[in-house]
């Protein structure tokens, strides 16, 4: 994953870009959670990465998630909280896909 992909999706240092994939994700996540975007969810995680331009150091790569990285830790936590697997549309799978 590259900072360019995250920025192109609308996650920028200035916030979420209007009319972008990021704004659509934020809207959908807010509706499904009763009006807010949860800390640690896909939208907030990607926005943090986009604001800091820090995707290169998190462990989300074009060849998968790097062992021992922040991404691996995130995936492990998410899998434990969902009974052993990372759910489609969850934070890890969404961030990895972008």
């Amino acid at each position: 994953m590259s900072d360019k992909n995250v920025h192109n999706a609308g996650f920028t240092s200035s916030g979420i870009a209007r009319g972008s994939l990021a704004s659509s994700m934020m809207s959908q996540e807010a509706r499904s959670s009763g009006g807010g975007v949860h800390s640690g969810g896909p939208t907030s995680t990607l926005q943090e990465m986009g604001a800091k331009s820090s995707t290169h150091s998190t462990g989300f790569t074009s060849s998968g998630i790097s062992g021992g990285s922040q991404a691996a830790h995130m995936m492990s936590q998410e899998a434990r909280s969902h009974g052993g697997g990372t759910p489609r549309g969850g934070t890890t799978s969404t961030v990895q896909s972008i």
Side-chain angles (χ1 to χ4, degrees):
M1 177 170 66
S2 72
D3 292 328
K4 182 180 176 184
N5 290 351
V6 172
H7 292 156
N8 287 343
F11 298 99
T12 73
S13 60
S14 304
I16 291 178
R18 178 179 287 164
S20 65
L21 171 62
S23 67
S24 176
M25 280 179 64
M26 182 175 70
S27 176
Q28 183 177 26
E29 191 175 339
R31 280 194 308 271
S32 70
S33 67
V37 175
H38 297 286
S39 176
T43 302
S44 64
T45 300
L46 284 162
Q47 180 54 39
E48 180 181 0
M49 290 178 182
K52 293 180 180 179
S53 293
S54 65
T55 60
H56 62 282
S57 63
T58 59
F60 291 99
T61 73
S62 59
S63 41
I65 292 177
S66 299
S69 67
Q70 178 185 354
H73 178 71
M74 181 188 259
M75 182 175 69
S76 177
Q77 283 186 314
E78 191 171 17
R80 279 194 303 273
S81 70
H82 287 91
T86 54
R88 186 177 201 182
T91 303
T92 305
S93 62
T94 301
V95 173
Q96 180 61 30
S97 71
I98 291 176

